[in-house]
Amino acid sequence: MSQATLAAAAAFSVVSALVYFQVARVVAMRSVSADASLAATGFRLWWAALAGSTLLGSLDELIAVFGEPPLGLLIAVGHISLALTCVALWGLLYYLLYLFTGRRRLWMPLAAFYAVYFFVLFGWLLGADATGVEVGRWSVDVSYAKDLADSVLWLPVLAFLLLPQILGSIAYFTLYWRVEERSQKFRVAVVSWSIIIWFGSAGVASLSEFGQEDLWQVTSRFIGLAAAGAILAAYRPPALLRRTLRVEAL
Amino acid sequence: MTTDDRADPGSDKAPDDGPGDGPDRDLHKLFEVWMDDETKLMITVFYQKNPGIIETVEGLARRLGTTKEAIQAAIADHVSMGLLKEKKVRDKVVLVYNRQGREGIEDFIAEQLRKRLEDA
Amino acid sequence: MSGKRLSTGIKGLDEMTHGGYIPGDAVLIAGSPGTGKTTTAMHFMAAGVEAGEHTVFVTFEYLPQQIYRDAGNRGWPLEQWEKEGKVKVICTTPDVLMMEADQGQSLLEEAIQEVNAKRLIVDSMTHFEFLGSSHNDLRQDLSGLMNRLRLLDVTTVVTHEIPQIIGPAVRISNWGLEFLVDAVILLRYVELEGELQKAINILKFRGSDHDKRYRRLRLDQGGVTVEEEFAGVENISGGTATRKIAARAEELI
């Protein structure tokens, strides 16, 4: 039974990753001024790194369909995924900070922060002493001698993983009233609310026991895929949406 | 008029200036003296290039990076030739390039400088 | 007011001032080093030659030969104009100029009469601060000079250096020069998109409405050009401008 659910989880992840890659491609096609180029790159990196991290996650799940993945592989994938996540968060936050402040140089302190964040987490994971692989119904995880949730770092780590996207998206949504073009308003609304719902629900689930229920596992993956699809539609709206809402593709 | 002209009456003209006349032998002799004096030459060239300068002796010394005494000694010939006019300005004396008598002298000086450079 | 205006010699600046300077006014062009103050003043001189109005150009620090060279590089044959009696260049010191001012006809007034000048340029007023007079005395003396020039119906353009290269503008002068003149034009550097750009703004223009926006200033071989406004940009007066959020959102969302 767990093979079917793991296969489904992997499929969800692959499809989601492909959608994120496509969003990265679409936003990459936009030409921007020299001043905004780094922020635009940051936004592309967010999508591309998210895609990469999601794809790596699907690799674990796919291998687990056929047998227990080697611990070493899981740890390596986890570390690479962590690095990609930090790159993605840097990209998203820099994009938002540049949008609001116009200050290009913020990339430096932000990069320094996420570099430190990565090494803190990396050290934390190393110190947590990985003992084996846990193959669940929907995911494959590394088990540690020390319970990460018991650590004093647990909440700050979770906060810095989820809060930037949620708070950033709320701030992003405020641009709805500051942009003039209908298509821009559409993109702002769809992108910001997709991320808020997606990461918000993940955050709530992480903090509750409901997060481990099968129903939630399926629901969360649909939420993730729907959010990714909505975001892609924000940049490349289908014909029906273009006609109904009178919005244009990027 | 509040500024009084310390040069001799009629000093608006250069000593040897006359309609259509070139500079005479005294001018040539004076010019030979100048050519051997770096400060005098410097002042001549300076005013040639900057005819609008109105300066005290001290100010001129500052602009040329030299001493007031060196300038004081050097300008006597310029004033006597009529190339420079001295004007009293309250308690100061300023040097003004004599534009009216300037034309003939200027051409002469330019020609002498050119010859000097060719010989060098 | 008759409504007659004198072209500044710069098309964009004529637009900003709604026609040019008001005859008889005193205009202050203040700015950081290298922003084009002297060149802006020279444009007015050149416009005067074209309009048949003569100019006295007073310089304190730069020698006339430097002024001739700089003007020549911009296509203005200043030495030739001087020979033709259209312009007179005086290089002196503020104390010589000021000492004369309150005793009948001054050297400056003589020069103005000599070429029948209707325009005066003084480059730059910064040197008056080195006279050692108290700010109060200096202000009074210069106020007297400005009034004498108004009586002579001479339109005066003076320049003044602001030592600050970039950053929020703090003050134009230490002794209130900006209050003695009728118009104040500010030239400043602005950091924008990683470049040091130049901006022009009219702070004050007594007796007339004017463009209150910052406009781009270009200084090159041809002189000064006042270009379009800094659209979609804010905090220019802070020295480090950023594009407005709407402008950023336009290209990033």
Side-chain angles (χ1 to χ4, degrees):
Chain A
M1 182 64 171
S2 66
Q3 285 156 322
T5 50
L6 281 169
F12 267 112
S13 296
V14 169
V15 172
S16 298
L18 288 174
V19 173
Y20 304 151
F21 267 128
Q22 183 60 10
V23 174
R25 272 193 63 238
V26 166
V27 298
M29 285 191 250
R30 180 172 43 196
S31 62
V32 296
S33 64
D35 197 67
S37 61
L38 190 59
T41 301
F43 197 50
R44 283 201 295 278
L45 267 179
W46 152 253
W47 292 111
L50 190 62
S53 173
T54 308
L55 207 57
L56 278 175
S58 72
L59 183 67
D60 297 340
E61 288 148 7
L62 208 54
I63 295 173
V65 169
F66 303 102
E68 188 177 285
L71 177 62
L73 175 69
L74 267 183
I75 292 172
V77 164
H79 291 161
I80 296 170
S81 195
L82 177 64
L84 284 173
T85 303
C86 289
V87 168
L89 289 174
W90 172 85
L92 178 67
L93 275 184
Y94 177 66
Y95 169 77
L96 290 169
L97 282 172
Y98 175 81
L99 252 182
F100 280 95
T101 66
R103 294 173 61 187
R104 290 185 79 234
R105 293 198 187 108
L106 286 174
W107 75 267
M108 275 187 280
L110 205 53
F113 173 76
Y114 276 105
V116 168
Y117 183 71
F118 169 75
F119 285 111
V120 164
L121 270 186
F122 185 72
W124 185 44
L125 288 173
L126 282 180
D129 197 15
T131 52
V133 177
E134 273 179 22
V135 179
R137 283 170 51 74
W138 292 95
S139 64
V140 184
D141 298 303
V142 175
S143 56
Y144 294 93
K146 295 173 191 166
D147 189 348
L148 298 175
D150 288 340
S151 166
V152 70
L153 284 178
W154 174 240
L155 267 178
V157 162
L158 199 64
F160 278 114
L161 270 178
L162 296 174
L163 277 182
Q165 292 91 304
I166 297 166
L167 295 176
S169 298
I170 293 170
Y172 193 65
F173 182 62
T174 63
L175 292 175
Y176 181 86
W177 291 279
R178 297 177 84 160
V179 296
E180 291 173 3
E181 257 192 49
R182 198 181 178 80
S183 303
Q184 286 180 320
K185 284 182 180 293
F186 172 68
R187 270 177 234 136
V188 164
V190 170
V191 171
S192 55
W193 279 104
S194 298
I195 295 176
I196 289 167
I197 293 168
W198 179 14
F199 284 89
S201 60
V204 165
S206 303
L207 295 170
S208 71
E209 287 179 6
F210 177 69
Q212 299 310 311
E213 299 287 321
D214 273 358
L215 181 60
W216 171 248
Q217 291 292 323
V218 175
T219 309
S220 69
R221 281 167 172 79
F222 271 113
I223 290 174
L225 195 56
I231 290 166
L232 185 60
Y235 289 99
R236 285 270 191 267
L240 179 65
L241 272 182
R242 287 203 303 272
R243 273 197 314 271
T244 325
L245 298 176
R246 287 179 287 127
V247 293
E248 288 170 9
L250 183 66
Chain B
M1 200 155 168
T2 60
T3 57
D4 62 274
D5 202 321
R6 281 181 54 180
D8 290 336
S11 67
D12 281 356
K13 291 186 184 177
D16 302 292
D17 203 13
D21 288 351
D24 68 2
R25 208 152 37 126
D26 288 336
L27 198 59
H28 276 272
K29 226 171 144 178
L30 206 57
F31 199 76
E32 275 164 31
V33 171
W34 277 0
M35 283 296 180
D36 291 331
D37 186 312
E38 204 178 295
T39 307
K40 287 179 183 174
L41 193 58
M42 184 167 59
I43 293 169
T44 307
V45 172
F46 184 67
Y47 272 97
Q48 233 205 338
K49 289 177 183 287
N50 301 278
I53 295 261
I54 302 174
E55 266 294 9
T56 58
V57 168
E58 296 85 354
L60 190 58
R62 266 197 304 275
R63 287 199 191 262
L64 293 175
T66 183
T67 64
K68 172 188 161 187
E69 290 71 29
I71 297 293
Q72 198 78 63
I75 58 162
D77 287 338
H78 292 78
V79 171
S80 70
M81 263 199 60
L83 198 63
L84 294 179
K85 276 159 60 171
E86 287 177 320
K87 272 195 163 177
K88 194 161 189 300
V89 171
R90 243 199 271 173
D91 57 343
K92 292 193 180 199
V93 174
V94 294
L95 300 163
V96 179
Y97 197 51
N98 181 9
R99 292 180 193 245
Q100 287 170 304
R102 172 182 159 197
E103 212 174 296
I105 299 170
E106 202 173 70
D107 292 341
F108 170 72
I109 290 170
E111 180 60 25
Q112 294 303 315
L113 284 171
R114 188 188 61 76
K115 281 182 185 167
R116 184 78 169 194
L117 280 168
E118 277 172 6
D119 294 342
Chain C
M1 184 170 298
S2 68
K4 187 194 170 196
R5 295 294 189 102
L6 302 175
S7 171
T8 64
I10 303 168
K11 184 167 171 279
L13 187 53
D14 283 347
E15 287 167 7
M16 290 180 80
T17 55
H18 294 196
Y21 304 138
I22 298 172
D25 266 8
V27 179
L28 167 63
I29 301 173
S32 310
T35 46
K37 302 181 292 299
T38 305
T39 310
T40 302
M42 281 189 183
H43 272 280
F44 182 57
M45 172 185 66
V49 169
E50 209 172 312
E53 284 197 355
H54 300 165
T55 304
V56 169
F57 191 112
V58 178
T59 171
F60 296 124
E61 187 168 44
Y62 291 116
L63 295 176
Q65 69 187 82
Q66 290 170 290
I67 305 292
Y68 298 145
R69 181 204 62 199
D70 292 346
N73 286 344
R74 308 262 189 251
W76 299 317
L78 183 50
E79 260 188 294
Q80 184 58 34
W81 287 344
E82 199 170 21
K83 284 180 183 155
E84 293 168 0
K86 295 173 181 173
V87 174
K88 185 172 172 75
V89 179
I90 296 175
C91 177
T92 185
T93 51
D95 55 342
V96 168
L97 206 67
M98 288 305 291
M99 209 171 10
E100 285 291 80
D102 52 3
Q103 274 199 13
Q105 198 173 54
S106 62
L107 284 169
L108 179 61
E109 284 166 314
E110 272 184 25
I112 289 170
Q113 270 187 6
E114 187 184 322
V115 295
N116 192 23
K118 282 296 171 197
R119 300 179 183 212
L120 169 67
I121 293 168
V122 180
D123 182 35
S124 78
M125 299 298 278
T126 313
H127 293 85
F128 281 89
E129 294 189 34
F130 306 142
L131 281 177
S133 308
S134 71
H135 287 168
N136 200 40
D137 286 345
L138 189 54
R139 197 163 160 163
Q140 283 182 2
D141 289 342
L142 281 172
S143 176
L145 175 62
M146 298 286 178
N147 288 336
R148 291 165 80 89
L149 291 167
R150 283 190 186 96
L151 286 173
L152 291 171
D153 201 26
V154 170
T155 309
T156 307
V157 171
V158 301
T159 67
H160 185 71
E161 201 164 283
I162 298 173
Q164 197 174 13
I165 301 288
I166 201 162
V170 279
R171 51 169 55 187
I172 291 173
S173 77
N174 294 324
W175 40 280
L177 170 61
E178 58 271 34
F179 298 106
L180 298 177
V181 296
D182 302 291
V184 178
I185 297 170
L186 187 61
L187 309 183
R188 54 179 304 143
Y189 287 110
V190 171
E191 188 194 342
L192 179 64
E193 299 181 358
E195 275 182 10
L196 209 56
Q197 300 185 17
K198 295 184 181 69
I200 182 170
N201 178 249
I202 300 176
L203 286 185
K204 163 177 148 181
F205 204 84
R206 214 182 276 153
S208 168
D209 196 11
H210 60 90
D211 188 352
K212 293 162 186 62
R213 295 170 296 182
Y214 274 100
R215 291 177 82 164
R216 292 180 194 272
L217 187 83
R218 190 163 43 89
L219 179 65
D220 57 25
Q221 199 68 8
V224 166
T225 310
V226 173
E227 297 177 331
E228 72 287 353
E229 61 162 321
F230 282 92
V233 171
E234 55 196 0
N235 198 36
I236 295 172
S237 57
T240 308
T242 52
R243 289 189 302 149
K244 289 182 188 159
I245 190 167
R248 292 192 293 274
E250 181 120 2
E251 59 172 344
L252 287 172
I253 292 177

